[in-house]
Amino acid sequence: MEANTRSTGRLPAAFLTPGSSSFMDFLGAHSPDLLPGNRPLPPAGVIEAPHGTTIVAASFPGGVVLAGDRRATMGNVIAQRDIEKVFPADEYSAVGIAGTAGLAVEMVKLFQLELEHFEKVEGVQLSLEGKANRLSTMIRGNLGMAMQGLAVVPLFAGWDVDRQKGRIFSYDVTGGRSEEHGFAATGSGSVFARGSLKKLFRENLTESQTTTLVVQALYDAADDDSATGGPDLARRIYPIVTVITDEGFRKLTEAQCSEIVRAIHDRRLEEPDGPRAALL
């Protein structure tokens, strides 16, 4: 919605009328056509669009790690090799996207606006539980598109300021929300990533060990799922790895990710059948 201030020098009444602390409610009241769920549905049938996978998350005593591979596919074609799938939602939370890439990125931007709008109106941050619920509502609003094959299934993680712990939430295409304990994965490679996480996860891992764990899980998923992109040392394309603690959201640098990837790669060369002590 644009604010035409050239003629009168004043904002439209919509911007000056008290209302809900939800940006989605505001948009639905004044420009409902801009909401993704209210757009005309495409003709029936499967639509070829870039899809992103795979997203993994794991918690440790001081926070939570959320990571994603960099590949987007369109059918049997690699549409993009270096797509970003993990984004900060606000200071203490992040969201990783799996599914239709274009819709997913748009949903993330709307989610970021939703949280920022709430904080400006109410003067406080929404609780982590509240953030997870708001994202659930947005996914449910995309159900029409999902039924046409344009699904978005994110993974949400953050630091719960009230409970002083990292928490992970997964979703289905209808907006159903589940809290995951310890670790989680979503996307086409999630079955293989979850198997790797299940094998290596421990409750007392350090932050460094947890970042290695999620990269190892993405590496394992790429071994068996063609839609998941493994670390590409030749092109210097590494997974996006983020850490959320009581100090807030932090994204690992390319150099830090490169160090983790090379350590895993070297260990695999030493042990071709698979590393037996990847976190040691």
Side-chain angles (χ1 to χ4, degrees), residues 44-63:
V46 178
I47 300 173
E48 288 291 340
H51 281 67
T53 59
T54 297
I55 306 297
V56 297
S59 60
F60 62 97

Side-chain angles (χ1 to χ4, degrees), residues 170-181:
S170 63
Y171 300 85
D172 60 34
V173 293
T174 66
R177 190 205 78 179
S178 300
E179 181 170 1
E180 306 288 346
H181 299 284

Side-chain angles (χ1 to χ4, degrees), residues 20 36 38 49 51-52 68 93 99 101 111-112 114 116 123 128 131 134 138 152 170 172 193 197 223 247 260-261 275:
S20 169
N38 291 340
H51 281 67
S93 62
F111 184 50
Q112 291 169 332
E114 175 80 354
E116 185 178 353
L128 191 68
K131 297 171 192 176
R134 291 290 175 96
M138 295 177 64
V152 177
S170 63
D172 60 34
L197 291 166
D223 275 349
E247 296 180 352
I260 295 171
V261 167

Side-chain angles (χ1 to χ4, degrees), residues 52-53 55 84-87 95-99 101 104-105 108 152-155:
T53 59
I55 306 297
E84 293 204 20
K85 306 176 188 177
V86 181
F87 306 89
V95 58
I97 57 172
V105 172
V108 168
V152 177
V153 189
L155 203 58

